[in-house]
Amino acid sequence: MAVYDSHLELPGVIDAFYGSVVKLIRPAGFTWESRRVSIRPATEYERNQLKALAKHHRLQLIRDESE
């Protein structure tokens, strides 16, 4: 589920729950933990940001492999 972490001001995807802590991940693999009270569902704009980051990351991997 795509969410927005208001503490770090970053959108991410929920990877795991640990009680009141949520582990989040970004498309390039950056992970962090946040309190549940600091996250909310991502807006359409924030979900689109995550999709664009994922596409950019995939294209970067393809370019790196072809070099």
Side-chain angles (χ1 to χ4, degrees):
M1 174 180 183
V3 296
Y4 182 81
D5 180 358
S6 60
H7 180 71
L8 285 183
E9 299 182 347
L10 287 174
V13 176
I14 294 175
D15 189 45
F17 291 99
Y18 306 105
S20 63
V21 175
V22 180
K23 181 179 176 186
L24 302 168
I25 189 166
R26 300 260 296 174
F30 172 68
T31 62
W32 74 99
E33 293 179 352
S34 186
R35 296 180 0 206
R36 279 189 185 194
V37 296
S38 297
I39 64 169
R40 60 163 172 74
T43 64
E44 182 178 350
Y45 178 80
E46 292 156 350
R47 287 191 305 272
N48 288 338
Q49 279 183 311
L50 289 172
K51 289 176 188 175
L53 286 169
K55 181 178 178 181
H56 174 75
H57 183 64
R58 280 192 309 272
L59 292 173
Q60 188 63 44
L61 290 174
I62 290 168
R63 277 188 229 131
D64 290 347
E65 288 176 358
S66 66
E67 292 180 353

